[in-house]
């Protein structure tokens, strides 16, 4: 009677262990998907919805398929992948390649880790436990002789608890390493990149099915024997194979993530080089015109003044129509002036061009920038910083209602140059924890968000960096560059 009670507790413990294993799949699976895809709702709500959908599905699969043949194995895996794809479509936003990879990776992790834990639990620890109990019973230890069955059930229950804990830790580590290796979410992938990413987990699932088929017990001479009984070496080889397959999935994700980051860096570098090259070409053409315009403006003012004096001297009085005409000429000539004199024609031209752009959009640009002549910092690098920073400021101000003003300033401390911009903004700014830069709020982020990356790249060239501050609806950017005095 006592042993039956203990057996009932053992059966209950087995179901609790199964439930906890499914809960680990839900909890860590949802966080894994949140790293790769963009959730459509809050974390807690998303986790609750994911659990309410995925828990019944896992239980139904468990009771519907005994998985005693390859067809049931394949069907249960296919249903699992299909269901995960459906759930991702309902709860997340992302491209299909990443969604398929996530579904394959979660399913492969569940199957292979379950196989590893089963071998460790039942085939290695279980057999050792059975032999130990038999030894204690055969050596007439009274408590084991009398209560051997109950002790065996308690021992099995403890092993199930250990197995669940080990499974939860391993599935968490496995999914965390994959998401960390892949890095940023929202990347658009080509067909070849998608194939590179999904082939390892797909191959791992195929091998998992083969291992499950091999694991079916065979009846021979009224005795059921497993592959582990017929070939004892498989107790090591099967979990080792599962471990290597999971490692291959992780390594492929890490390599893919590095490749994507390398391509991203190469794109940013190429865009920066193109921007500098274009700026050099444009400024080299404008530079001579710049000095000519300043001289022309000075001469035109003198000519207008001389004409005015000449007419007044001839007629003895000032002609009203001629005065109005000459006044309009003065206004036209004044437009040729580069109102910001920073001490360098390159930065003059860039600030003037951005000021004209801002003026057309009814945005004020207040500049207190001075070019540092004695720090050995290339004017083109400062030009890239100013051009990108002001472009971002003006773009942010376009959506602002009310006062719209961009403030640009600079100052030097020792060998350090600080360039600061400040502008208002609408909405919310989300900082990417990996890069420290704001995430693009535009629907098509490709090609956007490179401005601050280019600014940081220029700052790092001079052993500096950037600092971002957000106070209320004001966005501040500080760029530090180390010069040579």
């Amino acid at each position: 009677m006592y042993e039956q009670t203990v057996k009932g507790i053992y059966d209950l413990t087995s179901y609790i262990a199964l439930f906890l294993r499914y809960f680990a799949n839900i909890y860590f699976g949802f966080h894994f998907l949140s790293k790769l895809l963009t959730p459509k709702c809050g974390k807690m709500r998303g986790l609750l919805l994911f659990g309410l959908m995925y828990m019944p599905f896992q239980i139904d699969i468990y009771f519907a398929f005994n998985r005693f043949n390859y067809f049931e194995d394949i069907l249960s895996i296919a249903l699992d992948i299909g269901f995960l794809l459906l759930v991702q479509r309902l709860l997340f936003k992302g491209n299909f390649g990443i969604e398929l990879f996530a579904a394959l990776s979660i399913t492969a992790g569940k199957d292979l880790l379950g196989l590893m834990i089963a071998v460790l639990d039942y085939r290695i620890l279980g057999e050792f436990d059975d032999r130990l109990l038999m030894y204690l019973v055969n050596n007439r230890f009274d408590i084991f002789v009398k209560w051997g069955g109950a002790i065996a059930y308690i021992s099995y229950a403890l092993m199930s608890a250990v197995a669940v804990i080990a499974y939860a830790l391993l599935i968490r580590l496995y999914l965390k390493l994959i998401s960390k290796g892949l890095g940023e979410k929202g990347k658009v992938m080509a067909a070849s990149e998608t194939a590179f990413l999904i082939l390892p987990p797909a191959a791992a699932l195929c091998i998992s099915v083969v291992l499950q088929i091999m694991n079916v017990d065979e009846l021979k001479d009224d005795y059921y024997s497993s592959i582990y009984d017929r070939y004892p070496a498989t107790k090591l080889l099967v979990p080792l194979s599962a471990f290597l397959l999971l490692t291959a999935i992780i390594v492929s994700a890490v390599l893919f993530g590095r490749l994507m980051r390398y391509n991203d860096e190469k794109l940013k570098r190429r865009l920066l080089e193109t921007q500098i090259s274009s700026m050099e070409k444009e400024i080299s053409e404008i530079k001579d015109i710049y000095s000519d315009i300043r001289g022309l403006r000075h001469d035109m003012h003198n000519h207008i003044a001389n004409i005015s004096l000449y007419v007044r001297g001839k007629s003895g009085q000032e002609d009203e129509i001629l005065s109005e005409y000459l006044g309009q000429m003065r206004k036209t000539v004044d437009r040729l002036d580069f109102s910001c004199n920073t001490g360098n024609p390159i930065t003059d031209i860039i600030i003037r061009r951005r000021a004209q752009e801002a003026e057309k959009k009814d945005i004020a640009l207040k500049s207190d920038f001075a070019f540092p002549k004695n720090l050995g910092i290339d004017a083109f690098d400062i030009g890239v910083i100013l051009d990108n920073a002001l472009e971002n400021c003006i773009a942010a101000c376009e959506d602002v209602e009310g006062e719209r003003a961009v403030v640009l300033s600079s100052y030097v401390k020792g060998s350090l140059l600080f360039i600061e911009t400040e502008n208002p903004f609408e909405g919310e700014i989300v900082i990417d924890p990996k890069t420290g830069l704001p995430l693009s709020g535009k629907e098509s982020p490709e090609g956007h968000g490179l401005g601050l990356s280019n600014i940081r790249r220029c700052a790092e060239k001079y052993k500096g960096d950037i600092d971002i501050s957000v106070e209320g609806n004001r966005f501040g950017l500080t760029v530090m560059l180390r010069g040579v005095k």
Side-chain angles (χ1 to χ4, degrees):
M1 182 66 180
Y2 180 75
E3 288 186 9
Q4 289 179 347
T5 303
V6 174
K7 183 181 182 303
I9 295 174
Y10 165 73
D11 291 337
L12 178 62
T13 305
S14 299
Y15 285 116
I16 292 174
L18 184 68
F19 175 82
L20 292 176
R21 178 172 162 177
Y22 289 163
F23 179 79
N25 292 337
I26 291 168
Y27 185 79
F28 297 120
F30 177 80
H31 284 282
F32 171 69
L33 294 174
S34 299
K35 296 286 185 182
L36 303 187
L37 305 167
T38 304
K40 292 182 179 178
C41 53
K43 274 192 174 182
M44 290 304 298
R45 184 183 175 188
L47 178 60
L48 180 62
L49 291 173
F50 185 68
L52 290 174
M53 288 187 283
Y54 199 34
M55 179 64 80
F57 174 80
Q58 292 181 106
I59 294 172
D60 288 342
I61 288 290
Y62 176 79
F63 285 106
F65 297 99
N66 293 318
R67 303 184 72 169
F68 288 153
N69 58 66
Y70 73 91
F71 176 76
E72 290 188 346
D73 267 318
I74 295 173
L75 184 57
S76 64
I77 287 173
L79 288 173
D80 205 345
I81 294 170
F83 188 82
L84 282 171
L85 287 173
L86 175 63
V87 170
Q88 288 177 86
R89 282 289 168 179
L90 293 174
L91 300 180
F92 299 91
K93 292 185 292 184
N95 62 72
F96 181 74
I98 291 292
E99 290 176 356
L100 181 58
F101 169 75
L104 289 170
S105 298
I106 291 174
T107 308
K110 286 165 49 184
D111 264 40
L112 291 171
L113 285 174
L115 186 60
M116 287 173 60
I117 296 299
V119 174
L120 177 66
D121 186 14
Y122 298 111
R123 302 299 176 180
I124 298 177
L125 294 179
E127 289 183 8
F128 173 78
D129 189 59
D130 288 342
R131 291 178 182 178
L132 179 61
L133 285 173
M134 289 301 297
Y135 171 80
L136 295 172
V137 170
N138 291 334
N139 283 272
R140 311 299 297 175
F141 286 88
D142 291 342
I143 187 172
F144 291 100
V145 173
K146 185 176 181 181
W147 305 105
I151 292 173
Y153 285 128
I154 293 172
S155 177
Y156 296 154
L158 290 175
M159 284 193 297
S160 295
V162 172
V164 168
I165 294 171
Y167 175 85
L169 292 175
L170 289 173
I171 195 76
R172 176 181 182 272
L173 178 63
Y174 163 73
L175 296 177
K176 184 177 181 180
L177 289 174
I178 292 177
S179 61
K180 187 177 180 181
L182 281 178
E184 295 181 51
K185 65 176 75 173
K187 290 291 184 183
V188 177
M189 301 188 302
S192 57
E193 294 170 336
T194 303
F196 176 86
L197 198 58
I198 67 173
L199 281 177
L205 279 171
C206 292
I207 297 173
S208 175
V209 172
V210 174
L211 293 175
Q212 295 285 359
I213 294 170
M214 292 167 55
N215 194 26
V216 174
D217 293 345
E218 292 183 1
L219 179 61
K220 187 176 181 180
D221 299 330
D222 297 327
Y223 173 73
Y224 282 97
S225 65
S226 69
I227 189 175
Y228 306 108
D229 299 319
R230 298 189 296 273
Y231 307 102
T234 54
K235 293 176 184 178
L236 173 63
L237 293 176
V238 168
L240 180 61
S241 300
F243 172 77
L244 292 175
L245 289 168
L246 294 174
T247 303
I249 297 172
I250 295 170
V251 170
S252 67
V254 171
L255 290 176
F256 181 82
R258 288 182 179 177
L259 178 63
M260 294 294 286
R261 285 189 287 274
Y262 170 76
N263 289 336
D264 192 43
E265 285 297 313
K266 190 165 68 172
L267 172 63
K268 290 177 181 178
R269 192 181 301 112
R270 188 164 62 246
L271 289 174
L272 177 59
E273 290 170 355
T274 303
Q275 186 180 22
I276 292 176
S277 176
S278 175
M279 188 179 295
E280 287 177 345
K281 183 179 179 181
E282 181 182 350
I283 289 175
S284 65
E285 294 173 353
I286 296 176
K287 198 171 180 181
D288 293 334
I289 300 173
Y290 169 79
S291 56
D292 292 342
I293 287 176
R294 294 181 70 88
L296 177 63
R297 177 180 176 276
H298 180 268
D299 292 343
M300 287 296 293
H301 271 296
N302 289 335
H303 288 320
I304 292 170
N306 291 336
I307 292 171
S308 180
L309 289 172
Y310 176 76
V311 171
R312 191 182 302 135
K314 279 286 188 181
S315 62
Q317 59 182 357
E318 190 168 337
D319 188 278
E320 184 177 340
I321 297 175
L322 182 60
S323 295
E324 184 179 349
Y325 177 73
L326 293 175
Q328 291 297 326
M329 285 185 66
R330 287 192 187 94
K331 290 180 181 179
T332 302
V333 171
D334 287 339
R335 291 177 60 188
L336 299 175
D337 182 34
F338 284 82
S339 55
C340 50
N341 299 312
T342 65
N344 185 279
I346 294 175
T347 51
D348 284 356
I349 292 168
I350 290 170
I351 295 174
R352 174 62 178 169
R353 185 178 65 176
R354 290 300 178 185
Q356 289 177 331
E357 179 188 344
E359 187 178 358
K360 291 177 183 177
K361 297 177 180 179
D362 197 25
I363 299 171
L365 197 161
K366 303 173 184 177
S367 175
D368 186 23
F369 175 84
F371 184 83
K373 296 182 179 179
N374 302 319
L375 291 184
I377 300 175
D378 195 312
F380 284 104
D381 290 326
I382 294 180
V384 169
I385 292 171
L386 292 175
D387 198 43
N388 282 287
L390 293 176
E391 181 184 19
N392 290 344
C393 291
I394 293 169
C397 286
E398 288 185 55
D399 299 326
V400 175
E401 296 181 0
E403 184 181 357
R404 305 191 296 179
V406 176
V407 179
L408 168 66
S409 61
S410 68
Y411 58 93
V412 175
K413 282 189 176 181
S415 62
L416 299 179
L417 169 66
F418 293 88
I419 301 172
E420 295 182 341
T421 62
E422 186 177 315
N423 63 270
F425 67 91
E426 285 289 337
E428 181 182 2
I429 291 180
V430 180
I431 303 296
D432 187 339
K434 294 182 180 178
T435 63
L437 302 178
L439 294 172
S440 174
K442 302 185 180 181
E443 292 184 2
S444 300
E446 293 76 31
H448 299 295
L450 297 178
L452 287 173
S453 297
N454 286 342
I455 293 172
R456 171 172 279 172
R457 196 181 296 276
C458 288
E460 289 174 347
K461 179 179 176 181
Y462 295 92
K463 299 180 181 179
D465 204 350
I466 66 174
D467 180 68
I468 293 171
S469 63
V470 180
E471 295 182 6
N473 71 328
R474 304 290 298 180
F475 179 88
L477 170 68
T478 301
V479 185
M480 186 196 77
L481 300 93
R482 185 182 297 276
V484 179
K485 275 201 167 185

